[in-house]
Amino acid sequence: MEYEHCSKERSASLDLLLRFQRLLVSKLYPGDCVGQVPNTYSPDLLGVGSLLKKYTALLCTHIGDILPVATSIASTSHRHFAEVSHVVDGDLTGILLPELVVSIVLLLSKNAILMQEAGAIPLLAGLLEHLDRFNHLAPGKERDDNEDLAWPGIMGSFFTGQSCRNNEEVTLIRKADLENHNKDGGFWTVIDGKVYDIKDFQTQSLTGSSIL
């Protein structure tokens, strides 16, 4: 129901652009190059790559013009940010750009040489500064950044005497993060699914590191 509602709100021209974008990506996908000699591309394929670059350049120019204005309005208040975000989300920036970025990353992983020749990636990189300025206006951004940088994860709430009342307050630590931290000289351990830092206790313990 929600998808149908969004589709009805989307303009016919935006739907047409989205279908055109998907057509370009599908023509560049390796499935269309079966039997082709590696690192050699047909004129048709190179033509599609050139067309993708022109399309990306036009899209980036449009978004590059919109985002500074959107950022200026959104900086007024949280309410303005919410309204502007809703508008941007329904525009080329929120509909075409995310799918294009994912598609180009996928194509790059499948056929890096062709995508480098197409030259669409540097054009997208030019939008990073505009997007970053807009995203920095999001309410709660500082809190989210602090939570992302907070280490060593959920154990902080135990050592400060605070209880985690909901999952949003819990920082999850992957097994790889724990292993890398310990390789760098840290001493994290897992007990009943919770991560504890026993580095300070290690120097006071009489039992030795092996038992810990």
Side-chain angles (χ1 to χ4, degrees):
M1 293 292 292
E2 184 178 351
Y3 173 79
E4 292 178 357
H5 179 67
C6 292
S7 182
K8 290 178 181 179
E9 287 185 346
R10 191 184 302 158
S11 66
S13 58
L14 195 54
D15 271 331
L16 184 61
L17 281 173
L18 185 59
R19 288 198 294 269
F20 176 71
Q21 177 176 294
R22 289 173 176 174
L23 179 62
L24 286 177
V25 172
S26 68
K27 292 297 182 181
L28 290 170
Y29 197 74
D32 291 336
C33 311
V34 176
Q36 191 166 283
V37 179
N39 299 336
T40 61
Y41 307 105
S42 67
D44 290 343
L45 199 60
L46 293 175
V48 175
S50 176
L51 190 57
L52 176 65
K53 181 179 180 180
K54 293 178 181 178
Y55 169 80
T56 304
L58 291 173
L59 181 63
C60 290
T61 299
H62 173 80
I63 296 175
D65 291 338
I66 286 179
L67 280 178
V69 178
T71 301
S72 177
I73 299 174
S75 63
T76 307
S77 67
H78 290 341
R79 184 176 64 84
H80 283 82
F81 178 84
E83 293 293 336
V84 171
S85 296
H86 179 71
V87 173
V88 170
D89 191 52
D91 187 62
L92 278 68
T93 309
I95 295 176
L96 299 180
L97 182 61
E99 186 171 314
L100 179 62
V101 171
V102 172
S103 298
I104 288 182
V105 170
L106 177 62
L107 288 171
L108 184 63
S109 67
K110 296 290 185 179
N111 202 330
I113 296 178
L114 177 61
M115 292 309 299
Q116 289 174 358
E117 292 183 4
I121 297 174
L123 297 172
L124 291 171
L127 294 177
L128 291 178
E129 185 175 351
H130 294 303
L131 291 168
D132 192 53
R133 287 177 181 173
F134 183 79
N135 289 334
H136 268 71
L137 297 175
K141 185 271 302 179
E142 294 83 2
R143 181 198 64 206
D144 292 340
D145 284 350
N146 289 335
E147 289 179 353
D148 289 341
L149 296 174
W151 289 92
I154 64 173
M155 76 193 75
S157 62
F158 288 90
F159 290 166
T160 57
Q162 300 173 354
S163 60
C164 297
R165 296 182 178 179
N166 55 58
N167 291 333
E168 294 180 355
E169 298 176 357
V170 176
T171 301
L172 299 180
I173 297 178
R174 300 171 303 172
K175 182 180 179 182
D177 295 331
L178 185 141
E179 291 175 349
N180 289 333
H181 178 80
N182 289 346
K183 286 179 181 178
D184 292 337
F187 208 154
W188 289 355
T189 187
V190 179
I191 303 174
D192 293 334
K194 297 180 177 62
V195 180
Y196 297 88
D197 188 354
I198 57 175
K199 180 68 175 179
D200 293 339
F201 182 72
Q202 177 189 10
T203 59
Q204 305 171 12
S205 174
L206 301 177
T207 59
S209 299
S210 59
I211 295 179
L212 287 177

